Amino acid sequence: MTLKKTAAIVTLMSGCALTTLHVGHADAMTLMDLFRRNRAPETLQTLPEVAPAPAQEQSAPARRSASSSPAPRVVGPKYYTYKAEAPRRIETDRLVDPVVTGSLRPDLVSTGNTTPLSDIRPYMPSVTAYAAPDVAKTIEAYYAGTDALIWIDAAGVNDRARAAMAVLADAASIGLDPQDYAVTLPSETPDATDMAAREKSLVSFEIRLSAAVMTYVQDTVRGRIDPNAISGYHDFKRKDVNLAGKLRVIAASHDVAAFLATQTPSNPEFTALRDELKRLEATADGQPRIEIPEGTLLKPGIADPGMPAVVAAIKVKGSDALKTDHAATLAAYQGSEDYTPDLVALVEGFQKENGLKPDGIVGRASIRILSGGDSNADKIAKLRIAMEQARWLPADLGSRYVFINQPAFTASYHDAGVEQFNMRVVVGSKTNQTYFFEDQIQTVEFNPYWGVPQSIIINEMLPKLRSDPGYLDRLGYQVEVAGRAVSSYDVDWYGSTKGVSVRQPPSDDNALGELKILFPNAHAIYMHDTPSKSFFKKDMRALSHGCVRLADPRRMAAAVLGTTVDDVAKQIAGGRNKGVSVPGRIPVYVAYFTAWPDKDGRIAYFDDVYDRDMYMNRAFDATRQVRRIEG
């Protein structure tokens, strides 16, 4: 493919969008940004709903008459009422010969770890057990096609069963719900005169435990929750789990507990979440709440009556490492209102470890954490959600990858399995949310064109265009109709916009800045530079139209291209629009975790900026309800 063709393709991918019904939504400035300095750092790209009419074919009165029509709107994806997969009855009747009846005769029962099904099947009673459809299908296929039971023998429940049940009972330690896998042991003192009842109890236990174990395996590999059933902002291919193969391995295993342990993710991130969960569950949640006066704003060098409360809160909320580093300051503090340099250093350290701008200014964001923050119970809830969501990602994130965590407002680059650097980012606002998905970085485009997607054109630009259709020309935009360059005045902005595209050429004011980093996806989300550098100074950075703005785009571009920042600077200085392919595909995780480990393995907690944890908890509740079917 020629460079010219590559650049054209890259340009077509440039709409940063949230889509509903295939209508794009994009990343851009606010309108105030758009019109600053009388130039717009924005561009309109493919307007799939626009069919133009040349100005000479429509009179001004005709246009004015159309002004009574309401402007159209483009809306983003929806959150759904989560519908958990309903279990179905496992068809054990198919495993029974309807002609032959009787009991599990002791003379036909093996004395080993398994009972030959050829001896038992004609006498196997029908039992009632439920499981998700794919688990139920696996159980039916196994017992129809094998000659061995797994969990019972001549003496009743065997050691393999007890080992499996111990693992299931400890499911909470890996973020799962033990009640989803609870199986009642059959009585150990059965009525010897009622062999049919004993037989049915044992077979019921066999089927139910197999179903519980396979449900556990599936859950710990891919998660209980189907992310795509939560909202249109979630986009994952759900993992396939070879249940039949895993059940065969379990049936042949001499150490079921060890095998089940291998099904849980073992990457460093999941391990850190699991260890933190264990630590918090063993810790009493007795931290006092520190009340900091409303409206407190501490600035270095200025005395404030809120200072004692701030120091008291840091003693409670600060990490052990922070308190060790500033032990002398904390020991010497006597409750003064003076905001001295040593206290500034203490506050800055606290802000840094909590993902805030370490400027020593104690405002709303700092006070929220100091006075409240997350209790142990809140943290445990976030950890369980994070462990569930981590199962949606690959078991191994890779040796080299980019990880964007939206609630943290950060992007990190990893190489050789180690975080090399981390930078601030701006992500989508709550009304223009960034999606949760994974992809692969393919291209870096220097001096990019910027195409404004449909949501911005329709929701934000049309009111201006309808009153002043020529203003795009004055701002230097390139407008095309069916591939032909036209004046923005020649487009009927009251009609359909199908076939109309508008883009902003590379410039100092271009909304994408110097470069963008593409990982082509259905949502037209990418990483890019921005002329609005002031946004990176904010602690809450959910401010874009969906794309990810990078605080240091040159460094990220150099990393993914495997080159130097100086080389990236030379490419930009050339002034030419140019797309460069990334050597090898680099995974990028556009993720959403309110609890996630930092580069040192310490778990950091973040605000749920999009309320997605709330929807996760609703999904947990819905799943719990449908799984409580009693047989």
Side-chain angles (χ1 to χ4, degrees):
M1 182 179 294
T2 66
L3 184 60
K4 183 176 180 181
K5 289 182 179 179
T6 301
I9 292 172
V10 168
T11 298
L12 290 174
M13 302 291 295
S14 66
C16 185
L18 300 175
T19 56
T20 294
L21 300 177
H22 306 290
V23 181
H25 174 111
D27 180 22
M29 311 280 179
T30 64
L31 285 181
M32 289 301 294
D33 292 325
L34 183 65
F35 300 124
R36 67 180 171 77
R37 291 185 296 183
N38 294 322
R39 294 192 63 193
E42 315 253 341
T43 310
L44 310 171
Q45 172 160 344
T46 309
L47 283 72
E49 284 209 355
V50 188
Q56 62 269 25
E57 295 181 10
Q58 185 179 42
S59 66
R63 292 190 180 194
R64 284 195 296 271
S65 67
S67 64
S68 58
S69 338
R73 297 289 297 175
V74 176
V75 297
K78 303 291 186 182
Y79 283 88
Y80 313 132
T81 299
Y82 189 83
K83 295 181 180 179
E85 186 177 42
R88 71 163 175 83
R89 187 175 181 273
I90 299 173
E91 301 293 341
T92 57
D93 294 351
R94 298 177 183 176
L95 309 180
V96 181
D97 186 331
V99 177
V100 184
T101 59
S103 63
L104 288 173
R105 296 176 298 169
D107 60 308
L108 295 179
V109 176
S110 167
T111 58
N113 286 331
T114 60
T115 302
L117 191 58
S118 57
D119 293 343
I120 184 176
R121 183 184 291 147
Y123 308 98
M124 180 181 281
S126 175
V127 298
T128 302
Y130 290 84
D134 46 357
V135 172
K137 181 179 179 181
T138 299
I139 302 301
E140 292 162 354
Y142 176 81
Y143 287 102
T146 186
D147 61 355
L149 302 183
I150 302 172
W151 313 111
I152 59 176
D153 55 29
V157 176
N158 60 29
D159 291 340
R160 180 191 278 115
R162 297 183 191 281
M165 292 182 72
V167 173
L168 302 186
D170 190 43
S173 69
I174 58 170
L176 300 177
D177 185 349
Q179 289 301 309
D180 287 348
Y181 324 106
V183 179
T184 303
L185 279 166
S187 173
E188 295 190 8
T189 56
D191 183 353
T193 63
D194 191 349
M195 293 300 293
R198 176 174 182 267
E199 163 192 324
K200 186 167 185 175
S201 175
L202 288 171
V203 171
S204 177
F205 174 78
E206 170 77 22
I207 298 297
R208 288 174 181 237
L209 184 55
S210 290
V213 168
M214 297 321 296
T215 300
Y216 173 91
V217 168
Q218 188 171 64
D219 287 352
T220 195
V221 170
R222 75 176 191 181
R224 291 166 283 172
I225 306 304
D226 179 357
N228 302 319
I230 297 173
S231 82
Y233 291 108
H234 294 75
D235 185 7
F236 287 91
K237 182 183 183 300
R238 207 165 188 200
K239 295 177 182 176
D240 294 323
V241 183
N242 182 5
L243 295 176
K246 292 181 185 294
L247 184 56
R248 289 193 297 269
V249 171
I250 289 170
S253 175
H254 295 291
D255 192 343
V256 171
F259 175 77
L260 292 178
T262 66
Q263 303 306 294
T264 296
S266 59
N267 58 63
E269 295 79 14
F270 190 92
T271 300
L273 294 168
R274 183 193 63 198
D275 292 348
E276 174 81 344
L277 178 64
K278 180 179 179 180
R279 183 186 70 80
L280 289 180
E281 289 187 326
T283 303
D285 191 0
Q287 293 183 346
R289 183 178 179 86
I290 307 297
E291 296 295 336
I292 299 176
E294 186 175 352
T296 295
L297 180 63
L298 275 67
K299 294 185 177 181
I302 301 175
D304 192 286
M307 194 73 244
V310 168
V311 175
I314 290 177
K315 288 180 179 179
V316 173
K317 298 289 185 179
S319 67
D320 291 340
L322 177 72
K323 287 181 280 189
T324 298
D325 290 343
H326 299 273
T329 298
L330 293 170
Y333 183 69
Q334 299 297 316
S336 170
E337 296 181 0
D338 294 333
Y339 196 7
T340 58
D342 52 348
L343 292 176
V344 172
L346 172 67
V347 168
E348 288 175 346
F350 180 83
Q351 290 173 324
K352 185 175 182 179
E353 72 177 15
N354 283 278
L356 303 176
K357 182 182 179 181
D359 56 7
I361 298 175
V362 180
R364 182 181 300 174
S366 296
I367 290 172
R368 182 193 59 78
I369 296 175
L370 288 165
S371 62
D374 294 313
S375 65
N376 270 16
D378 294 333
K379 290 179 179 178
I380 287 171
K382 287 185 174 184
L383 288 168
R384 293 192 182 283
I385 290 171
M387 294 168 80
E388 177 73 13
Q389 294 175 162
R391 293 180 165 99
W392 304 342
L393 301 178
D396 182 356
L397 298 182
S399 174
R400 185 173 177 232
Y401 63 91
V402 173
F403 193 90
I404 300 164
N405 192 10
Q406 297 167 49
F409 307 119
T410 59
S412 53
Y413 173 75
H414 301 249
D415 195 8
V418 177
E419 181 182 308
Q420 303 298 317
F421 59 82
N422 184 297
M423 69 180 62
R424 289 188 161 210
V425 302
V426 172
V427 299
S429 67
K430 193 167 183 177
T431 55
N432 300 301
Q433 298 179 19
T434 302
Y435 286 72
F436 188 174
F437 67 106
E438 60 179 287
D439 214 296
Q440 291 188 327
I441 297 172
Q442 296 185 16
T443 309
V444 175
E445 183 182 354
F446 298 107
N447 302 304
Y449 284 86
W450 188 75
V452 176
Q454 282 296 288
S455 60
I456 293 179
I457 296 168
I458 293 175
N459 295 345
E460 300 182 29
M461 304 297 288
L462 274 183
K464 178 67 175 176
L465 287 165
R466 286 182 172 185
S467 63
D468 181 10
Y471 90 97
L472 289 177
D473 293 343
R474 295 194 304 276
L475 297 178
Y477 290 116
Q478 298 175 350
V479 182
E480 292 185 355
V481 175
R484 180 174 59 87
V486 298
S487 164
S488 65
Y489 191 84
D490 290 337
V491 178
D492 174 16
W493 298 109
Y494 288 98
S496 168
T497 54
K498 186 177 182 179
V500 175
S501 64
V502 187
R503 67 177 185 173
Q504 179 185 24
S507 68
D508 291 340
D509 272 347
N510 186 284
L512 304 185
E514 299 175 334
L515 62 86
K516 63 182 177 182
I517 300 173
L518 291 165
F519 33 99
N521 56 85
H523 319 299
I525 287 175
Y526 46 85
M527 296 182 282
H528 66 87
D529 183 24
T530 174
S532 296
K533 305 297 186 184
S534 62
F535 286 178
F536 297 111
K537 298 177 181 179
K538 299 178 181 291
D539 290 324
M540 203 295 291
R541 297 188 292 280
L543 302 167
S544 81
H545 280 73
C547 278
V548 179
R549 305 178 187 180
L550 301 170
D552 192 352
R554 293 187 179 192
R555 187 176 189 185
M556 185 66 78
V560 300
L561 288 172
T563 187
T564 65
V565 173
D566 287 344
D567 180 65
V568 168
K570 290 178 182 177
Q571 300 276 10
I572 294 168
R576 186 165 63 93
N577 173 249
K578 179 180 181 182
V580 179
S581 296
V582 170
R585 294 294 182 255
I586 301 175
V588 56
Y589 304 100
V590 187
Y592 191 95
F593 288 92
T594 55
W596 195 251
D598 62 17
K599 65 178 181 179
D600 299 317
R602 187 183 66 186
I603 304 299
Y605 299 90
F606 312 101
D607 283 347
D608 183 12
V609 292
Y610 298 151
D611 295 328
R612 288 182 184 168
D613 281 6
M614 174 185 72
Y615 290 99
M616 283 292 293
N617 282 322
R618 290 179 181 177
F620 285 151
D621 289 342
T623 301
R624 189 175 300 113
Q625 290 175 16
V626 303
R627 289 186 174 187
R628 297 301 185 263
I629 295 178
E630 296 293 336

